[in-house]
C-alpha cells in the first residue's frame, strides 16, 4: 500500500492544470455553468469528459486572472452547498412545535443547565453545553418541564434558538465533507457529489432538525479529519505556524467530537492513525536525521496527548462548575459527591426513612461534644487489665470518630426474631424496650455489673458473647426521647434525641470521653452511668436504612456497601469528582439494556431495514420518522462491497506485477481506502461488540464515511472507464447512468422529505405507499387496517 | 535439566541423534508428569460432572442438549465404551466417589490427548524455527506448567480441544516448512492432517474457530507469497489454492457435518434435552410422546391441543389456578409459557358461536383467518387480553385467563393467521406455524422469553404484542386430541438430517448467548488470566486440586511477549528507515509473528464476549505464548552471540539458560501439589505447607 500522502490537492491539480494548460477553456466553461445554475453536477461532469480532448497548446492565456477565477469558483460551489444546507436544515425549524424523540432527554438537560442543577448522564457534556448556551442566549430560563414525547412547547419557548446549533452543524456538514474530499485529492465534481449526497440524505436531514447530538458529532469529526489532512500536507516544514495550527485545531475538533458523544473516539483514533501513519512514512526519509525524527515523534506525541486531555478536562470543569446545585438527578452519585453540591447534604439526609422501626439499621451518633458513633468490632476486652481488675472478656463496644461499617446497629424488638422491615412498619416509640444488634457481628448490646475498663466507677458495655458461665445477657434498653415535645414520641432519624436506659440496672448509655489503650485501638470508651440526665448520654440516629433481608450474609453485604452521610457539606477536589463521575459513566451504562420498539441491530443498518418513529400527530398522521435515503444507502453499501473487491483485485494484480491503474490513481485509491473505508469500519464494527440497545442513528457517523467512499468510488469508476480501452463505448452511458442516479436520489429525497419535516399530513394509503420495505414501521391509525397490511 | 547443555549447539540437523534425544526426553518427561497420580482423586472433579454425564448419555444413547458441538463428548463416550465403562454412573455432582466405576479409561484418554500437546509444541517450534534450542525451551515451558497438567488430567473437553488446536498449528507449521516440496504425498498428508485437526477443534468447542482463523491467515499469506512469484504461471497459484481449499475448507466442513450426523444417529432415545427442540425434532426420539404418535392431521373446532411457541427453546402455552398479583395488571388468572409437558398446557378450541355445535354436526376444520376462543381445559377460563400492560414487557398487553366455565367476553376472540397462509388453508398438527391475533386489541400472542418473578413460578411471560412482526409470535399445535378425526402417524413430518442439523445449531447458539452472568455473580475477567490472578477449584475437601498456572511460566511468558513486540517493532523501524535491512525477516522473528497472532486470536475475542467466562479459557492462548517465549529466548541468545565476544556470550548464554531452567524446575517443585493434590490444612490456614507459595492474596487454595 502506498503512503498516506495525498498526491494532489485540488488547488494543486488546478495549478498544475494551469501550467500544463490542459483545461483552461474547459474550466472557464464550468465557471459559467456554475454561475448560471446551482445544480451543476451533471453538466460539470459532461465538461469534465471533454477535458482530455482539449488541445494542450491553448495554455497560459491569462494565468493571473485564471487563478482568481479558481478561488471564486471554489467559493461558489461550497457556497451553494452552504445555502442549500441552510435552506433544507432551517426550513420550518420550529415545526413540529412539540417534543420530538430524544429532545425529551437533551431538552431536560438544557433546562437543568439553566437551573444549574446537577444531573448525571453517561455521555460527556459538550453537546448539551452548546445547546444550553444557545438556549441561554435565546432567553430560555429552564422552566419548561420535558415530560413526554409529543408534548407541545409553550408559545414563549425559544425553540428556534434551542434547535439552532444542531441545524447549523447539519448545514455546515456538506461543506466540510466537500473540503475533506478535495483534501483527499479528489476532483471538485466528486467533492460536490459527496456534498450533494450529504445534503439530500433524509436521515442526516432529520437528525439535524432537532435537539440531538449527532450533527455536532459529525461536523467536528469531519472537520477534525480535514485539519489533520491539511497538517500532513505541511510535513515538509515542521514546527511552522501552519503545522502546529492544523494539528492543534484538528485534534481540538476531534476531541470536541469525543466530548459530544464517546463514539467520537472512533474518529479521534482515525485521526491518531493519520498522524502516526505520516510519521512512519517520514522514517524512510533519509534526509531527516534520527534525532530530528525522534524529536518530531516526541512533539507529536506530546501534542496528541496534551490537546485532547486538556480540552476534555476543561469541558468537564465547566460542566461541574456550572452544575453546582443538588437536584433530583444526583442520587446515582456517592453521598460525598452529593454533599458537595449546594443543598445536597440536606437532600440526602431527607432521603432516609424517618421513623425508626423494628429492623432499622442505624448509626448512633454522640450528639453533644466529640463527634463519634457507637461502634463494635470482633475484638474482646482483655481478661485482665494492668491494674489486676478482671473484665467480662466480651466483645468491645467503643465510640469511634470515623464513619465505618462497624458503626451499624440494628434495632430489634425483644419479642421478634426476624429482622427485615415489613409493611406496615413497626415504629419505635418513646419508652419502648428494644435490643440493639451489632450489624456485622450480630451480637446484642449488653451491659452488666462489671467495671468499665478505663472508668471503673461505671459499668462495662459489651456485645454479649455467651460463654455459658452463668453470666446471662442483660441486653434490654429503654428508649427515652428527650425532645418528644418538639418531634413527637416516635423515634425519628436525626431529629430525635434519645437516651438508652439499661433496663436491668436503670443506667444510661454514656460516652465517657476517655480513650481506650492499644487493645481498644485507642477508640473512645462507652459505659453506662447511674447519672442518667447529662449531655454525654444523649444520642441521635444519623444514618438510617431499613433492613431488606433476613439472610445474615446478604445483610452484611448490604451494610458493607451502604454509604455514610458526610458530616458536613464536603468539598471534593475536581479530580475526585471527575474520577467518580467517570466510574459511574463507564459502569452505569451496562444496566440500561431494554427493549425499544424501534431499536435495531448493526446488520440492519447498511440495508436500512428499520427506521425510528420520532414524533407523530395522531389526528393527521403527520410524522417525523428517521429513515435514510434508500438510494444513497444502497448505493453506498454496493460501493463499499465493490471497493473491497476492487482492492483485492488490484492487490493481486500488482502482486503479479500488472498495473491496471496509474500510480497517481492508485495513491488516491489507497488514501480513500485509509480514510473512508477505515473510518467506516471503525465507526461500524464496535457496535457488533457492545451489548446495549442500538438505534439507527448510531449508524450516522459510519454513513458519512460511506458517502465519502461512495463519491470517491464514482470518480474512480469514471476515471477507469475513461482511460480503458473501450472508453468510447462505455464512458457516455456511464455518465448518463451517473446523472440519472443523482436524479433518482433527488426523487427519493423528495418522496421522503415530508417524514423529515413533519409538516404535511398523510392518509394511510400514502403512508403505505411509502412503505417500500415491509419492515418500515410508520405509525398509522390501526383501526383502518386489516391484518395483512400490518404483517 | 543437565541435558540442556548439549542442546545449545545451534543449527542441529533434524533426525540427528541430538534431535531424537531431546525429543525423547520431552516425551518421557511428559508421560511421567501427566500420568503421575492420574487415578486420583477417586471422585468426580469439577466439570467431570457434566462431561462424564454426557459421555454416559452417549453410551446410553439418550438425547441431551449442550452448548458445545458433539465431538469432544462423543470421544469421551467412545473411550469409556471401549474401556468397559457401562454408562450407569450418574456423575451427579463434584465430589461423588467413583465406586466400582471404570472411569480410568476416560481419564487416561483425555490425559494422553492433552499430553500430546507437549511433543506437538516441540515439533511445531522446530518446524517454524529449525532451532532445537527454541523447541526444547518451548516444550519445557509446556511441560512444567502445573496448570496444563491439572487441566489435562480429567474428563474434560479442554484436553481434547488443546490437542486439536496444537495439532492444527503443527500441521500449519509442517505445511509451511514443506512449501518447497508442494504436492508431494507428504505435503498432502500434512495438509489433510491440518484439515482434520481443524475440524476436530471446531467440533469440540466453538472457540476452535480461532485456530481456524489463524490457519486461514497463515494459508492466505502463503498463497500471497506464491502469487508474488511471477516466474510461475497463474495456474500454479490456482493449483495451490484448490489443494488448500479442498483440504482446509471442504474437508473440515464435511467432517463437521459427519460428526453431527453420528451425534444425531447415536442419540436416538428421549432424554432431558427434548424440551429445547421443536415438535418435529422431538418426534424422532424413541420414547418421546411424539414418537410414532398418532393424531389427527388437521386441527378442528372442539379439539384439545397444546400450543408450542416457535422461538428456539420456547415453551407451551400454559395456565394454572393462580392469579396475577395485585398491582400487576388485572387481577385475573395467569397465562405463561412453560417448557415442560403438563396437563395445564391443554387448551380446547371453540368457535365464537355461543352454542356448542352438536355431535351430529360435521367436523369443522380450523382454517386461516377464522375466529376462535381458546378455553383452558383444567380451569375452564378463556385466553383473554385487554388494555393493561403486561407484567414484564410493559409495552405489550397483558394476557389473562378470563370467564367462568368457558363463558367470557368479546376480548376472548382471536384470529388464527397461518404464517404465509391463504384464506381457508387448514391448520395442520405440528407443521403449521401460525399467529394468534387478538381481534379487538389488534395485537399478537407472543412469549417475550422473560422470566416471571416468584409469583409466576419463574415461567416465561406471555403477552400480546402490538407489533405483528414479532419473531416470537409463531405457534404450532403439538398435541391434538380430536375424537372425530382419523389419526395418522406423526412420522410423516420427520425432519431431514439437514433440518435437524440447522435446528441443533440454532438451539446451541441461543444456549450460548443465554450463558450470561447472573445478577451479582462474580465471573472471571479476561484481564485476570495472563497474570494468573485467580485459579479455579477442581476438587475440594480432603484432597484438593486447584487449577492455577505455574506463575514463573506465566509471568515470564508475559515478559517475553513484551520483549518480542519491542524487538520486532525495532526491526520493522530499521527496515522502514533503510529498506535494505531485512532483519525483521529473520526466521525466528517470522515464526514469532505467527505465534503472536495465534496468542492474540485466542485471547482478545474474550474481551468482547458477553457470556460467562472462566479461567481455563486462557489455556489455548497460553500455549502460543509459551512457544513464543521459547522462540524469543533463542533469538536473543543468537543475537547476543553475534554482538558480544565469544567468551562473554558463552557465559551469558549459560547463565541465562541455567537461571531459567533452575527457576522453572524449582517453581514446578513448589507448585506441583496444586495439580497432584494437596492434603492437610487449607491454604488460608497459616500452618499450611502451601502458605509459603501463596504469592498472591487472590489465590485461594
Amino acid at each position: 500500500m502506498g503512503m498516506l500522502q495525498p498526491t494532489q490537492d485540488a488547488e494543486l491539480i488546478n495549478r498544475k492544470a494551469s501550467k500544463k494548460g490542459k483545461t483552461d477553456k474547459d474550466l472557464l466553461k464550468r465557471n459559467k455553468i456554475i454561475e448560471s445554475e446551482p445544480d451543476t453536477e451533471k453538466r460539470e461532469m459532461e465538461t469534465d469528459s471533454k477535458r482530455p480532448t482539449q488541445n494542450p497548446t491553448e495554455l497560459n492565456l491569462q494565468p493571473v486572472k485564471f487563478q482568481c477565477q479558481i478561488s471564486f469558483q471554489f467559493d461558489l460551489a461550497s457556497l451553494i452547498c452552504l445555502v442549500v444546507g441552510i435552506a433544507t436544515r432551517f426550513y420550518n425549524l420550529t415545526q413540529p412545535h412539540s417534543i420530538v424523540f430524544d429532545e425529551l432527554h437533551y431538552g431536560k438537560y438544557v433546562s437543568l443547565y439553566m437551573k444549574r442543577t446537577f444531573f448525571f448522564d453517561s455521555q460527556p457534556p459538550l453537546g448539551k453545553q452548546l445547546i444550553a448556551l444557545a438556549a441561554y442566549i435565546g432567553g430560555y430560563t429552564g422552566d419548561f418541564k420535558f415530560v413526554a414525547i409529543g408534548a407541545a412547547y409553550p408559545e414563549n419557548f425559544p425553540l428556534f434558538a434551542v434547535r439552532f446549533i444542531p441545524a447549523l452543524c447539519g448545514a455546515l456538514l456538506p461543506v466540510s465533507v466537500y473540503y475533506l474530499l478535495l483534501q483527499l485529492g479528489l476532483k471538485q465534481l466528486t467533492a460536490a457529489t459527496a456534498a450533494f449526497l450529504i445534503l439530500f440524505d433524509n436521515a442526516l436531514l432529520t437528525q439535524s432538525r432537532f435537539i440531538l447530538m449527532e450533527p455536532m458529532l459529525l461536523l467536528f469529526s469531519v472537520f477534525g479529519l480535514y485539519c489533520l489532512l491539511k497538517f500532513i500536507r505541511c510535513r515538509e516544514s515542521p514546527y511552522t505556524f501552519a503545522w502546529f495550527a492544523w494539528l492543534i485545531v484538528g485534534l481540538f475538533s476531534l476531541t470536541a467530537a469525543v466530548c459530544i458523544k464517546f463514539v467520537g473516539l472512533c474518529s479521534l483514533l482515525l485521526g491518531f492513525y493519520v498522524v502516526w501513519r505520516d510519521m512512519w512514512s517520514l522514517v524512510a526519509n533519509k534526509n531527516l536525521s534520527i534525532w530530528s525524527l525522534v524529536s518530531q515523534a516526541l512533539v507529536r506525541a506530546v501534542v496528541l496527548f496534551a490537546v485532547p486531555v486538556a480540552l476534555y478536562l476543561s469541558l468537564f470543569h465547566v460542566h461541574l462548575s456550572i452544575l453546582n446545585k443538588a437536584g433530583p438527578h444526583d442520587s446515582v452519585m456517592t453521598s460525598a459527591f452529593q454533599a458537595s453540591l449546594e443543598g445536597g447534604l440536606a437532600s440526602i439526609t431527607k432521603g432516609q426513612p424517618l421513623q425508626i422501626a423494628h429492623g432499622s439499621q442505624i448509626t448512633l451518633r454522640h450528639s453533644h461534644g466529640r463527634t463519634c458513633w457507637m461502634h463494635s468490632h470482633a475484638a474482646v476486652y482483655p481478661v485482665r487489665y494492668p491494674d489486676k481488675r478482671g473484665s467480662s472478656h466480651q466483645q468491645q463496644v467503643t465510640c469511634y470518630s470515623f464513619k465505618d461499617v462497624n458503626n451499624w446497629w440494628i434495632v430489634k424488638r425483644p419479642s421478634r426474631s426476624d429482622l427485615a422491615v415489613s409493611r406496615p412498619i413497626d415504629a419505635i416509640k418513646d419508652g419502648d424496650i428494644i435490643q440493639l444488634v451489632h450489624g456485622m457481628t450480630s451480637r446484642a448490646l449488653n451491659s452488666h455489673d462489671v467495671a468499665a475498663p478505663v472508668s471503673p466507677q461505671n459499668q462495662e458495655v459489651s456485645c454479649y458473647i455467651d460463654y455459658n458461665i452463668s453470666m446471662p445477657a442483660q441486653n434490654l434498653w429503654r428508649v427515652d426521647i428527650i425532645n418528644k415535645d418538639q418531634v413527637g414520641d416516635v423515634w425519628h432519624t436525626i431529629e430525635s434525641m434519645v437516651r438508652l436506659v439499661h433496663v436491668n440496672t436503670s443506667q444510661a448509655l454514656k460516652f465517657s470521653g476517655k480513650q481506650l489503650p492499644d487493645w481498644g485501638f485507642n477508640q473512645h470508651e462507652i459505659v453506662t452511668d447511674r447519672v442518667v440526665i447529662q449531655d454525654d448520654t444523649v444520642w441521635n440516629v444519623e444514618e438510617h436504612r431499613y433492613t431488606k433481608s433476613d439472610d445474615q450474609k446478604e445483610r452484611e453485604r448490604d451494610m458493607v456497601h451502604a454509604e455514610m452521610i458526610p458530616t458536613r457539606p464536603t468539598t471534593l477536589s475536581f479530580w475526585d469528582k471527575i474520577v467518580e463521575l467517570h466510574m459511574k459513566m463507564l459502569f452505569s451504562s451496562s444496566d440500561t439494556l431494554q427493549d425499544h420498539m424501534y431499536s435495531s441491530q448493526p446488520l440492519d443498518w447498511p440495508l436500512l431495514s428499520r427506521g425510528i418513529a420520532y414524533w407523530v400527530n395522531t389526528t393527521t398522521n403527520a410524522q417525523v420518522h428517521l429513515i435514510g435515503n434508500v438510494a444513497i444507502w444502497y448505493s453506498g453499501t454496493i460501493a463499499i462491497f465493490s471497493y473491497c473487491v476492487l482492492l483485492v483485485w488490484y492487490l493481486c494484480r500488482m502482486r503479479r506485477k500488472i498495473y491496471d491503474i496509474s500510480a497517481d490513481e492508485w495513491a488516491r485509491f489507497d488514501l480513500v481506502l485509509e480514510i473512508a473505508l477505515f473510518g467506516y469500519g471503525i465507526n461500524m464494527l464496535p457496535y457488533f461488540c457492545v451489548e446495549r440497545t442500538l438505534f439507527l442513528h448510531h449508524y450516522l457517523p459510519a454513513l458519512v464515511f460511506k458517502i465519502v467512499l461512495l463519491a470517491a468510488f464514482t470518480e474512480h469508476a469514471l476515471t477507469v472507464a475513461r482511460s480503458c480501452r473501450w472508453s468510447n463505448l462505455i464512458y457516455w452511458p456511464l455518465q448518463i447512468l451517473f446523472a440519472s442516479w443523482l436524479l433518482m436520489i433527488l426523487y427519493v429525497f423528495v418522496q421522503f422529505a415530508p417524514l423529515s419535516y413533519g409538516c404535511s399530513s398523510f392518509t394511510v394509503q400514502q403512508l403505505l405507499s411509502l412503505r417500500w420495505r415491509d419492515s418500515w414501521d410508520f405509525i398509522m391509525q390501526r383501526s383502518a387496517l386489516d391484518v395483512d397490511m400490518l404483517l | 535439566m543437565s541435558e540442556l547443555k548439549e542442546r545449545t549447539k545451534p543449527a542441529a540437523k533434524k533426525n540427528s541423534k541430538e534431535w531424537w534425544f531431546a525429543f525423547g526426553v520431552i516425551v518421557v518427561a511428559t508421560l511421567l508428569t501427566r500420568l503421575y497420580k492420574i487415578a486420583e482423586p477417586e471422585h468426580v472433579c469439577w466439570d467431570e460432572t457434566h462431561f462424564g454425564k454426557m459421555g454416559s448419555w452417549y453410551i446410553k444413547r439418550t438425547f441431551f442438549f449442550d452448548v458445545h458441538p458433539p465431538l469432544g463428548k462423543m470421544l469421551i463416550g467412545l473411550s469409556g465404551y471401549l474401556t468397559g465403562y457401562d454408562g450407569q454412573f450418574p456423575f451427579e455432582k463434584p465430589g461423588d466417589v467413583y465406586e466400582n466405576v471404570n472411569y480410568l479409561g476416560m481419564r487416561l484418554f483425555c490425559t494422553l490427548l492433552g499430553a500430546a500437546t507437549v511433543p506437538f509444541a516441540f515439533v511445531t517450534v522446530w518446524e517454524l524455527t529449525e532451532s532445537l534450542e527454541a523447541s526444547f525451551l518451548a516444550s519445557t515451558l509446556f511441560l512444567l506448567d502445573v496448570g496444563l497438567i491439572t487441566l489435562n488430567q480429567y474428563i474434560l473437553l479442554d484436553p481434547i480441544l488443546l490437542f486439536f488446536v496444537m495439532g492444527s498449528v503443527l500441521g500449519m507449521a509442517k505445511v509451511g516448512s514443506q512449501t518447497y516440496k508442494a504436492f508431494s504425498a507428504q505435503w498432502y498428508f500434512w495438509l489433510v492432517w491440518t484439515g482434520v485437526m481443524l475440524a476436530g477443534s471446531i467440533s469440540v468447542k466453538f472457540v476452535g474457530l480461532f485456530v481456524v482463523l489463524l490457519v486461514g491467515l497463515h494459508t492466505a499469506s502463503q498463497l500471497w507469497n506464491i502469487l508474488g512469484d511471477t516466474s510461475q504461471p497463474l495456474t500454479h497459484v490456482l493449483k495451490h489454492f484448490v489443494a488448500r481449499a479442498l483440504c482446509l475448507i471442504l474437508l473440515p466442513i464435511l467432517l463437521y457435518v459427519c460428526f453431527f450426523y453420528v451425534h444425531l444417529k447415536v442419540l436416538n432415545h428421549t432424554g432431558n434435552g427434548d424440551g429445547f427442540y421443536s415438535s418435529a425434532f422431538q418426534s424422532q426420539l424413541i420414547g418421546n410422546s411424539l414418537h410414532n404418535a398418532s393424531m389427527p392431521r388437521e386441527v378442528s373446532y372442539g379439539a384439545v391441543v397444546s400450543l408450542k411457541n416457535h422461538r428456539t427453546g420456547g415453551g407451551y402455552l400454559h395456565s394454572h389456578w393462580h392469579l396475577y398479583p395485585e398491582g400487576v395488571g388485572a387481577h385475573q388468572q395467569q397465562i405463561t409459557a412453560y417448557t415442560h409437558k403438563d396437563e395445564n398446557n391443554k387448551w380446547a378450541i371453540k368457535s365464537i358461536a355461543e352454542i356448542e355445535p352438536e355431535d351430529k354436526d360435521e367436523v369443522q376444520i380450523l382454517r386461516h383467518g377464522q375466529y376462535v376462543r381458546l378455553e383452558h381445559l383444567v380451569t375452564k377460563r378463556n385466553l383473554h387480553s385487554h388494555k393493561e400492560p403486561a407484567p414484564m414487557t410493559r409495552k405489550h398487553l397483558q394476557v389473562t385467563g378470563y370467564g367462568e366455565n368457558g363463558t367470557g367476553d368479546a376480548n376472548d376472540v382471536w384470529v388464527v393467521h397461518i404464517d404465509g397462509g391463504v384464506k381457508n388453508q387448514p391448520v395442520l398438527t405440528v407443521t403449521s406455524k401460525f399467529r394468534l391475533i387478538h381481534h379487538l386489541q389488534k395485537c399478537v400472542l407472543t412469549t417475550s422469553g422473560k422470566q416471571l418473578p416468584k409469583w409466576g413460578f419463574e415461567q416465561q411471560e406471555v403477552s400480546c404484542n402490538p407489533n405483528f412482526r414479532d419473531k416470537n409470535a409463531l405457534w404450532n399445535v403439538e398435541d391434538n386430541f380430536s375424537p372425530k378425526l382419523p389419526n395418522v402417524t406423526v412420522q410423516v413430518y420427520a425432519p431431514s438430517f439437514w433440518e435437524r442439523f440447522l435446528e441443533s445449531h440454532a438451539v446451541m447458539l441461543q444456549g450460548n448467548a443465554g450463558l450470561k452472568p447472573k445478577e451479582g455473580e462474580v465471573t472471571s475477567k479476561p484481564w485476570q488470566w495472563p497474570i494468573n490472578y485467580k485459579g479455579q477449584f477442581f476438587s475440594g475437601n480432603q484432597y484438593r486440586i486447584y487449577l492455577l498456572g505455574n506463575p514463573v511460566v506465566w509471568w515470564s511468558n508475559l515478559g517475553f511477549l513484551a520483549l518480542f513486540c519491542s524487538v520486532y517493532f525495532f526491526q520493522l523501524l530499521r527496515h522502514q528507515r533503510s529498506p535494505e535491512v531485512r532483519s525483521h525477516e529473520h526466521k525466528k522473528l517470522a515464526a514469532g509473528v505467527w505465534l503472536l497472532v495465534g496468542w492474540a486470536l485466542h485471547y482478545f475475542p474474550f474481551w468482547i464476549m458477553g457470556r460467562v467466562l472462566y479461567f481455563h479459557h486462557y489455556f489455548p492462548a497460553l500455549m502460543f505464548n509459551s512457544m513464543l517465549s521459547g522462540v524469543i529466548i533463542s533469538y536473543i541468545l543468537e543475537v547476543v552471540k553475534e554482538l558480544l565476544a565469544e567468551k562473554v556470550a558463552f557465559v551469558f548464554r549459560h547463565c541465562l539458560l541455567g537461571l531459567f531452567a533452575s527457576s522453572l524446575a524449582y517453581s514446578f517443585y513448589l507448585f506441583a501439589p496444586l495439580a497432584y493434590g494437596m492434603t492437610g490444612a487449607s491454604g488460608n490456614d497459616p500452618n499450611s505447607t502451601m502458605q509459603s507459595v501463596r504469592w498472591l492474596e487472590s489465590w485461594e487454595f
Side-chain angles (χ1 to χ4, degrees), chain B residues 275-331:
Chain B
F276 291 94
Y277 292 83
S278 67
S279 312
F281 194 103
Q282 292 180 35
S283 71
Q284 298 302 295
L285 298 170
I286 300 168
N288 187 291
S289 62
L290 283 173
H291 182 73
N292 281 338
S294 56
M295 50 178 87
R297 187 77 181 98
E298 284 110 3
V299 180
S300 63
Y301 286 98
V304 172
V305 298
S306 65
L307 295 173
K308 189 172 198 318
N309 189 270
H310 240 271
R311 76 185 265 132
T312 358
Y316 300 92
L317 187 69
H318 179 97
S319 185
H320 37 231
W321 281 111
H322 304 270
L323 306 184
Y324 285 106
E326 286 298 345
V328 182
H331 195 50

Side-chain angles (χ1 to χ4, degrees), chain A residues 3 280-290 293 595-597 610 648 651-653 655-657 689 691 771 773-777 782-783 785-791, chain B residues 224-234 237 368 393 395 415 417 435 437 441-443 450 465-469 516 569 572-573 576-580 608-611:
Chain A
M3 302 300 157
W280 183 250
S281 68
L282 281 183
V283 172
N285 185 346
K286 288 276 182 148
N287 295 329
L288 296 171
S289 72
I290 299 253
L293 282 176
D595 284 335
H596 188 280
M597 184 111 171
R610 273 175 94 55
V648 173
L651 284 176
C652 289
R653 296 272 287 178
R655 188 76 183 158
R656 297 296 292 183
K657 311 253 178 338
C689 311
E691 300 215 359
R771 209 169 83 178
R773 278 195 68 163
D774 276 355
S775 48
W776 294 353
D777 289 325
R782 256 162 199 277
S783 51
L785 300 171
D786 85 354
V787 170
D788 291 300
M789 279 175 162
L790 288 169
L791 272 167
Chain B
W224 185 246
N225 288 336
I226 295 167
L227 186 71
D229 180 7
T230 37
S231 63
Q232 298 281 351
L234 208 57
V237 184
H368 177 85
T393 319
K395 290 196 173 102
V415 181
H417 190 284
R435 293 182 178 81
I437 293 165
Q441 306 298 343
K442 289 273 182 279
C443 59
K450 291 177 189 159
N465 189 346
N467 178 8
F468 282 20
R469 294 201 202 97
K516 293 270 161 61
F569 179 71
L572 273 184
L573 211 58
Q576 173 74 6
R577 183 79 179 150
S578 9
E580 68 279 4
I608 54 171
M609 276 191 203
R611 59 163 280 173

Side-chain angles (χ1 to χ4, degrees), chain A residues 325-382:
Chain A
K325 291 189 184 144
H329 308 279
D330 48 16
S331 54
V332 275
M333 309 307 290
T334 59
S335 299
F337 191 102
Q338 292 181 45
S340 72
L341 299 169
E342 208 174 290
L345 186 58
S347 77
I348 25 179
T349 316
K350 268 186 212 138
Q352 303 191 81
L354 184 63
Q355 300 183 339
I356 313 286
H358 168 79
S360 282
Q361 296 170 5
I362 58 171
T363 61
L364 269 181
R365 175 181 165 138
H366 176 232
S367 308
H368 303 293
R370 189 185 174 86
T371 308
C372 65
W373 294 268
M374 187 160 79
H375 178 97
S376 179
H377 39 231
V380 293
Y381 289 111

Side-chain angles (χ1 to χ4, degrees), chain A residues 30-102:
Chain A
R30 203 193 297 177
N31 282 346
K32 260 187 240 156
I33 292 163
I34 289 172
E35 281 164 54
S36 57
E37 69 181 81
D39 189 11
T40 56
E41 277 76 19
K42 191 178 153 192
R43 299 275 193 88
E44 261 185 342
M45 188 190 64
E46 286 164 11
T47 54
D48 248 7
S49 68
K50 284 178 195 154
R51 192 191 281 184
T53 60
Q54 286 295 316
N55 185 348
T57 54
E58 290 177 42
L59 78 156
N60 279 342
L61 289 178
Q62 291 160 309
V64 178
K65 186 186 166 196
F66 185 63
Q67 285 290 335
C68 92
Q69 275 174 337
I70 286 173
S71 58
F72 174 64
Q73 176 191 9
F74 268 35
D75 285 346
L76 193 61
S78 53
L79 200 67
I80 292 164
C81 292
L82 188 63
V83 168
V84 179
I86 289 176
T88 49
R89 269 61 181 167
F90 281 87
Y91 168 73
N92 244 345
L93 187 62
T94 52
Q95 291 299 326
H97 203 81
S98 38
I99 301 176
V100 175
F101 196 56
D102 272 353

Side-chain angles (χ1 to χ4, degrees), chain A residues 177 180-181 184 194 672 676 703-713:
Chain A
V177 170
L180 179 74
L181 263 80
L184 284 172
V672 168
L703 176 70
V704 170
F705 287 99
K706 181 155 118 169
I707 286 177
V708 172
L709 191 86
L710 173 60
F713 180 74

Side-chain angles (χ1 to χ4, degrees), chain A residues 15 31 47 122 175 232 237 287 310 460 467 528 531 546 616 676:
Chain A
R15 214 173 297 137
N31 282 346
T47 54
S122 55
V175 189
I232 57 173
S237 49
N287 295 329
E460 180 195 272
Y467 289 120
T528 58
V531 186
Y546 286 150
V616 68

Side-chain angles (χ1 to χ4, degrees), chain B residues 398-418:
Chain B
Q398 186 192 25
V399 176
T400 65
Y402 181 74
E404 286 286 336
N405 277 328
T407 319
D409 65 9
N411 265 331
D412 303 346
V413 178
W414 301 81
V415 181
V416 177
H417 190 284
I418 300 179

